Amino acid sequence: MDRIKNIKQLEEKGKVWDIAVIGGGASGLGVALDALSRGLSVLLVEKADFAKGTSSRSTKLVHGGVRYLAQGDIALVFEALKERGRILQNAPHLTYNQPFIIPIYTLFDRFRYSIGLKIYDWMAGRLRLGKSRFISREETLMRLPKIKKEGLKGGVVYHDGQFDDARLALSVAMTCDEMGGCMVNYMKVTNLLKDQNGQIKGLKLRDELDHSKYKIVAKMVVNATGVFADKILQMDQPDAPKSIQPSQGIHLVLDQGFLGGKDALMIPKTSDGRVLFAVPWLDKLVLGTTDTLREKAKLEPEVLSREVEFILDTAKDYLSEAPTRKDVKAVFAGLRPLAAPKEGSTKTKEISRSHKVIVSKSKLVSITGGKWTTFRKMGEDTVNEFSRITGTQLPPSNSAQIRYHGFTQSPQKGHWKGYGANASLIQEWIKDKPELGQKLHPAYPFTMAEVVWSTRKEMAMKVEDILSRRIRILLLDARAAIEMAPKVAGLMAQELKKDEKWKAAELEDFKKLANKYILK
């Protein structure tokens, strides 16, 4: 992806886009992908980096939602299981079949979870990732060596999907770019353009990096800004009612040794009624998540001390070696864009996780709610509105069959897996210039070549883009990320032709940000 080349398309006089998408997270990318699959011209703008918000801060699961099954939301689970299968087929380089174990301490739990997960298997049909089954106490302890032994009767194993959320977002953005979409990060919408009848006809934009301004015309404008959807809705109609209720989920990242083995742990019922996961991810262990209502949506949500204590206290009840605050390598928070509850309902687990497509009087189309797993279906449902808005007949959606950038059935092992087919290209660079093979940190495998690759090919514009969303180290080990930052800034400055002042500002900004990922 070439940002300069893409921005030039914004300057083309008389150009009318079929669809302009506001938001470069999962839902916006789903819209762009589906629209391009039907032959429409697409512009997607994101005020920060792709997946900067919620879409890079998930529990890293592509799942049907065992909890939604327990709540009786059958339609959502069916849809999510179907989409889960598609993501695993279209991005084998960014996804995994992850076995989960629910530890069983009572006979009633054995019966309840065995039956529930057989239904989950059946609902997945031919896209099932593996059979669920009860395993003995001995096998449970062999597979989860650090689980609490007292009263353990065995475990129920089931399978779900796991993925690298930010790199999947990037892979979809690059796929859209290859399909002819114009994808631009750090491009903010400052206003909506309307015709004399008050109908949306385009956008006013400002480049957040050099402050250039643009106006574009589009037949349909989609508000796919997740937790920030209300800001765009109020730009359209200042008295628009609140449609989003942000709910915060945090995750603690520990050394994988706290759980041991390759299986994930699922705790189906915590003290607040939520599910808690302990998931091996990129050689670390991700513990989460919480469910805390927040009034304001923020690009960098703040972790609350009580959320940290809740996760550590719950983990202590299930792990033989209880993690403490000092064991946490990184902590990150994300906001779920839940549909605002009806009067009188405040529990987030009562708020629907299914998505909604809303069309305002001005013909602004907004996609709200939903979850990562169903991003493509959310896009399809949104693009279906194009016919109603423009009167143009659309061919059926073809996005379910598209393989994402980097697709390969035989990805390399370790951290190279996330690059898919591109891994060998980066390794060729290292052969040609051995100095690019130098590690960014002695404890981690990431190389200087990957920084150059991300800057040249993946539209990384800031140090944070690389350390948070291209190589994920900020979420794996925030202190190590701070130590890597000077090397990354130096390489990026060379690639982007920036001076020492830019480097110093980037390093200061990154250090401030990274400190929020460290538990004090």
Side-chain angles (χ1 to χ4, degrees):
M1 287 190 296
D2 185 327
R3 190 171 184 272
I4 294 168
K5 195 172 91 182
N6 286 2
I7 284 175
K8 281 189 176 145
Q9 295 183 57
L10 305 184
E11 297 163 346
E12 287 177 30
K13 285 202 170 123
K15 186 168 178 80
V16 179
W17 300 91
D18 288 325
I19 295 185
V21 184
I22 311 168
S27 51
L29 292 164
V31 174
L33 184 75
D34 193 78
L36 289 159
S37 85
R38 303 193 204 196
L40 299 177
S41 62
V42 175
L43 165 68
L44 179 144
V45 291
E46 162 58 51
K47 71 175 178 181
D49 185 28
F50 302 111
K52 156 77 178 171
T54 306
S55 298
S56 60
R57 301 157 188 270
S58 73
T59 313
K60 319 304 176 200
L61 300 180
V62 188
H63 61 146
V66 174
R67 182 162 59 90
Y68 312 139
L69 183 60
Q71 291 169 359
D73 200 341
I74 305 296
L76 177 61
V77 178
F78 260 124
E79 181 177 87
L81 285 169
K82 194 174 180 182
E83 293 300 316
R84 177 191 75 176
R86 285 170 167 162
I87 291 177
L88 267 73
Q89 283 176 354
N90 293 329
H93 56 304
L94 291 163
T95 55
Y96 302 80
N97 177 340
Q98 176 65 59
F100 285 76
I101 298 176
I102 301 175
I104 300 296
Y105 292 93
T106 70
L107 288 171
F108 176 66
D109 279 351
R110 174 179 175 173
F111 173 76
R112 175 169 52 164
Y113 297 124
S114 294
I115 296 290
L117 289 162
K118 284 291 170 209
I119 295 168
Y120 194 62
D121 288 350
W122 170 78
M123 289 173 77
R126 63 182 180 79
L127 295 171
R128 189 178 70 191
L129 301 179
K131 275 186 181 177
S132 62
R133 64 189 178 94
F134 179 77
I135 57 173
S136 67
R137 182 177 192 272
E138 292 69 33
E139 188 178 342
T140 304
L141 289 170
M142 184 185 76
R143 292 175 69 162
L144 295 176
K146 299 290 182 72
I147 196 79
K148 272 215 168 155
K149 297 178 177 66
E150 293 83 6
L152 183 72
K153 291 187 166 36
V156 177
V157 178
Y158 74 98
H159 293 254
D160 239 327
Q162 195 211 39
F163 74 140
D164 184 333
D165 49 6
R167 285 211 69 86
L168 182 70
L170 187 67
S171 176
V172 174
M174 294 173 84
T175 306
C176 292
D177 192 82
E178 287 161 0
M179 292 169 75
C182 180
M183 318 298 283
V184 189
N185 58 2
Y186 294 102
M187 185 65 69
K188 185 177 181 177
V189 172
T190 56
N191 221 327
L192 305 171
L193 293 175
K194 296 184 178 181
D195 63 18
Q196 64 271 33
N197 301 316
Q199 303 293 286
I200 301 277
K201 66 168 191 178
L203 301 171
K204 280 187 178 179
L205 306 169
R206 183 182 70 227
D207 189 328
E208 295 293 83
L209 301 180
D210 70 5
H211 310 299
S212 303
K213 292 179 179 175
Y214 304 91
K215 280 184 188 177
I216 64 98
V217 177
K219 295 173 191 173
M220 174 167 136
V221 171
V222 177
N223 170 17
T225 53
V227 287
F228 300 102
D230 286 338
K231 287 194 173 178
I232 304 295
L233 285 166
Q234 281 154 9
M235 216 180 255
D236 174 38
Q237 192 187 329
D239 60 349
K242 186 177 176 181
S243 71
I244 296 292
Q245 173 60 70
S247 158
Q248 180 161 298
I250 78 152
H251 297 83
L252 307 183
V253 180
L254 308 167
D255 281 326
Q256 203 171 331
F258 275 96
L259 188 58
K262 292 181 179 175
D263 296 288
L265 169 69
M266 198 266 244
I267 299 163
K269 196 132 193 198
T270 61
S271 58
D272 78 341
R274 272 197 66 77
V275 166
L276 194 83
F277 292 102
V279 185
W281 184 66
L282 305 182
D283 297 328
K284 290 282 189 277
L285 185 70
V286 177
L287 278 184
T289 177
T290 54
D291 207 351
T292 311
L293 288 177
R294 300 309 298 263
E295 273 314 299
K296 271 187 94 175
K298 289 182 176 178
L299 206 50
E300 275 297 336
E302 285 154 39
V303 172
L304 304 175
S305 192
R306 71 173 186 270
E307 293 179 294
V308 174
E309 296 312 318
F310 168 75
I311 291 179
L312 291 175
D313 285 348
T314 306
K316 188 172 66 186
D317 293 338
Y318 287 87
L319 301 179
S320 56
E321 186 188 341
T324 64
R325 291 176 78 97
K326 69 175 174 31
D327 297 311
V328 176
K329 297 277 187 185
V331 57
F332 60 94
L335 296 173
R336 300 176 194 88
L338 303 184
K342 295 184 178 76
E343 289 290 318
S345 173
T346 54
K347 288 183 181 171
T348 60
K349 53 182 181 287
E350 291 171 11
I351 302 172
S352 174
R353 254 62 172 181
S354 51
H355 60 273
K356 287 179 188 161
V357 181
I358 305 158
V359 182
S360 71
K361 282 180 188 167
S362 67
K363 302 272 173 65
L364 173 68
V365 180
S366 298
I367 172 80
T368 63
K371 52 188 243 173
W372 235 126
T373 308
T374 56
F375 88 103
R376 189 215 61 83
K377 183 68 169 72
M378 291 162 66
E380 182 184 330
D381 291 350
T382 307
V383 176
N384 284 342
E385 295 297 327
F386 186 79
S387 298
R388 285 187 273 278
I389 283 172
T390 64
T392 310
Q393 274 305 108
L394 272 182
S397 168
N398 188 36
S399 53
Q401 280 73 49
I402 293 168
R403 291 171 167 182
Y404 305 146
H405 179 90
F407 175 92
T408 171
Q409 291 284 19
S410 49
Q412 294 186 30
K413 292 204 165 36
H415 85 288
W416 291 112
K417 179 174 176 174
Y419 294 99
N422 293 326
S424 55
L425 301 177
I426 303 170
Q427 288 158 356
E428 283 297 320
W429 284 9
I430 293 171
K431 272 188 200 161
D432 292 343
K433 277 191 165 183
E435 65 272 22
L436 289 177
Q438 190 185 326
K439 283 184 179 182
L440 297 172
H441 191 283
Y444 292 95
F446 310 110
T447 61
M448 289 170 67
E450 292 162 74
V451 178
V452 177
W453 176 269
S454 293
T455 311
R456 283 186 198 172
K457 307 282 188 182
E458 297 180 341
M459 218 182 270
M461 305 307 297
K462 292 175 176 280
V463 168
E464 176 205 337
D465 299 346
I466 287 179
L467 291 172
S468 180
R469 288 171 295 281
R470 304 301 186 278
I471 65 173
R472 313 315 313 271
I473 190 67
L474 179 60
L475 276 66
L476 298 170
D477 187 336
R479 287 182 177 87
I482 292 170
E483 289 166 27
M484 291 182 188
K487 268 187 190 169
V488 172
L491 286 162
M492 289 187 82
Q494 281 173 25
E495 288 295 317
L496 298 169
K497 298 183 171 48
K498 300 291 185 184
D499 58 15
E500 288 298 316
K501 190 177 166 190
W502 178 88
K503 253 168 65 174
E506 276 295 302
L507 286 172
E508 191 181 335
D509 285 352
F510 183 73
K511 196 168 180 185
K512 256 188 228 163
L513 172 77
N515 277 322
K516 293 178 181 175
Y517 288 68
I518 296 171
L519 276 189
K520 304 294 190 287

